[in-house]
Amino acid sequence: MRLVLVGGVAALGVCAGMVAASASPGGARPAHAGSARGSAGLDPAELRSALDAVHRAGVPGVFAEVRDDGRTWRGASGVADVATGRPVGPDLRHRVGSVTKTFTAAAVLQQVERGRIGLDAPIGDYLSELVPGARGRSITVRMLLNNTSGIPDYLPYAFPSLRAFPSLPDVSTESLDENRFRTFRPAELIAMGLSAPPTGEPGGPTGVYSNTNWLILGELLKEVTGLPAEEYITRNVIARAGLRHTGFPKGPRVEGPHSRMYEAFHGLIDPPRDYSVYDMSWVGTGAALVSTMEDLNRFYALLLDGRIVGRSSLAEMQRTVPVRALDGSMIEYGLGLHRVEAPCGTFWGHDGTVWGAGTMSLTRADGRRQMSVAVNLIRWNRPDASGRPQPHPIDGAMKALYQRAMCGPASAASAP
């Protein structure tokens, strides 16, 4: 899911769906941070300070891993549980939301390399019953991967109390709780998206971000491999990358050490509520993965080095088009990858949110700089009288953290 970007990165080139969420649930303990091996491009004091600032601004817990030219820093600030004061740590597992889409895209490109999927073949060639008629004949696999299919998102129909967003006075979060333990079938969610008014013509010059595309791609993987998509991705992407703490959840709970995940939904949930226990069938191959910041950095390093898919497939993944996010902002989107222009270079990766959890993972084009950041509070921006979410101190703190994590010390932030 990509209802929100973890605040503040828009200034660095990424924008997203519903602007981020409210203040800390309170009760946070003093911040702490991790350690680093020395590097000219890694300033542990600046990175610790940036993490602490995010926590002080209102995020209960924030943790990160930053890599620079083979050196690694990990840090954390705040708490994983506002009730007990349990501290957050840099190695916690986390729901990483739409970062999942890069994994799904890589799996599809592997099948393209094997000749089982045609990147520019109509999806109806494979799933004629799921995507029938003219749509099935005109929407290609590529259009699903880069969000130019014209198929709208199913989320407003799966969560009907949110349908009026961004008009916050007309929104309720009732359906978040109603769906906590509901198990959706992919075909059920896909049908919701297909039955809604199209967002544009297939293959148009501007795409519209839609989770429906990614559930269709999951069904495509199942059709051509004979395996559930999650199983194929686990065997051929996650295991191939040697990721030890990444996987699709087997139930509503996150296995292993993890934080609680607090959703504020722009002040409509006050205090923010923990949604770390949730049936993730509502996002499936679009946003259900659980991972660690270390695993995400490893995955993107290998992917961008041509070791998950071949170089020609990677080049296809990096062919971007303008895509309109759910809040109306524009992003440069390839096949499951974002391109982000920062003062210190071009980065590739993805962001993601699910209820209560936000993640950003970006790798510089030369592979020498990486950051993965997680927060356990989402949609912290409260609305004004007109219902529009307003800036919050967390936004500036997150922007500063991303700048330090992506571009190094302040003196290096403006380097070419």
Side-chain angles (χ1 to χ4, degrees):
M1 167 180 149
R2 202 164 181 276
L3 287 179
V4 56
L5 180 70
V6 183
V9 151
L12 295 175
V14 173
C15 303
M18 294 180 176
V19 191
S22 168
S24 169
R29 298 201 323 194
H32 68 280
S35 60
R37 298 189 292 276
S39 166
L42 287 177
D43 186 321
E46 282 202 354
L47 289 167
R48 284 194 190 96
S49 176
L51 280 181
D52 291 345
V54 171
H55 172 53
R56 287 195 303 270
V59 173
V62 52
F63 51 103
E65 182 187 89
V66 181
R67 298 184 181 187
D68 181 79
D69 204 14
R71 298 174 175 86
T72 301
W73 176 89
R74 298 184 184 96
S77 184
V79 298
D81 187 326
V82 299
T84 67
R86 172 169 59 93
V88 73
D91 300 320
L92 294 182
R93 301 188 80 216
H94 197 63
R95 296 197 192 276
V96 299
S98 286
V99 175
T100 306
K101 291 178 170 65
T102 310
F103 288 74
T104 299
V108 171
L109 267 293
Q110 288 178 352
Q111 290 300 301
V112 171
E113 292 173 350
R114 291 174 172 84
R116 295 176 180 168
I117 293 175
L119 191 54
D120 293 302
I123 189 61
D125 287 359
Y126 309 96
L127 300 171
S128 59
E129 293 186 5
L130 187 65
V131 189
R135 264 181 163 168
R137 294 189 296 270
S138 59
I139 294 172
T140 67
V141 174
R142 184 190 300 274
M143 293 173 196
L144 296 169
L145 286 162
N146 67 12
N147 291 298
T148 61
S149 70
I151 300 174
D153 208 311
Y154 60 80
L155 288 174
Y157 307 95
F159 293 84
S161 71
L162 305 180
R163 194 172 299 175
F165 187 89
S167 177
L168 289 173
D170 301 314
V171 167
S172 130
T173 59
E174 180 181 1
S175 54
L176 272 68
D177 294 303
E178 291 175 344
N179 287 343
R180 186 187 284 267
F181 296 107
R182 179 176 176 180
T183 299
F184 287 97
R185 294 178 297 105
E188 174 186 7
L189 296 170
I190 292 166
M192 293 178 188
L194 290 173
S195 64
T199 57
E201 291 297 319
T206 300
V208 177
Y209 193 89
S210 173
N211 288 283
T212 311
N213 294 320
W214 296 87
L215 296 192
I216 295 173
L217 290 165
E219 294 301 287
L220 173 63
L221 282 171
K222 180 180 178 181
E223 177 69 21
V224 301
T225 68
L227 296 172
E230 292 85 352
E231 184 176 343
Y232 178 85
I233 294 167
T234 299
R235 291 184 185 183
N236 295 280
V237 178
I238 295 170
R240 183 168 180 172
L243 309 183
R244 297 182 299 146
H245 305 292
T246 300
F248 289 94
K250 296 180 175 62
R253 298 182 180 275
V254 178
E255 297 179 0
H258 64 280
S259 171
R260 293 189 181 275
M261 301 168 193
Y262 298 100
E263 177 65 51
F265 212 92
H266 309 291
L268 294 182
I269 304 175
D270 188 16
R273 189 174 304 137
D274 171 28
Y275 284 97
S276 57
V277 178
Y278 212 95
D279 187 314
M280 298 305 291
S281 61
W282 67 283
V283 282
T285 49
L289 270 183
V290 174
S291 190
T292 63
M293 300 307 100
E294 179 182 15
D295 269 9
L296 292 185
N297 279 339
R298 177 177 175 83
F299 167 68
Y300 280 108
L302 293 172
L303 176 70
L304 295 171
D305 195 38
R307 289 191 274 172
I308 305 298
V309 299
R311 292 286 181 181
S312 61
S313 293
L314 180 60
E316 295 287 355
M317 294 180 75
Q318 293 177 313
R319 290 176 57 187
T320 65
V321 296
V323 168
R324 189 173 305 281
L326 299 182
D327 67 346
S329 59
M330 300 303 296
I331 55 178
E332 286 296 316
Y333 203 85
L335 308 185
L337 282 175
H338 294 288
R339 186 179 72 213
V340 178
E341 297 298 336
C344 54
T346 298
F347 285 73
W348 294 94
H350 217 291
D351 69 314
T353 71
V354 289
W355 307 127
T359 307
M360 174 72 73
S361 187
L362 295 171
T363 295
R364 200 165 64 195
D366 63 6
R368 297 177 64 181
R369 186 82 179 194
Q370 294 187 276
M371 74 152 198
S372 289
V373 177
V375 293
N376 64 1
L377 174 72
I378 288 297
R379 284 166 280 271
W380 51 75
N381 302 83
R382 290 176 176 264
D384 62 11
S386 69
R388 293 180 59 84
Q390 295 301 294
H392 189 285
I394 294 173
D395 302 331
M398 290 298 297
K399 176 183 174 182
L401 171 60
Y402 289 143
Q403 287 176 328
R404 294 294 177 266
M406 294 169 73
C407 295
S411 60
S414 59

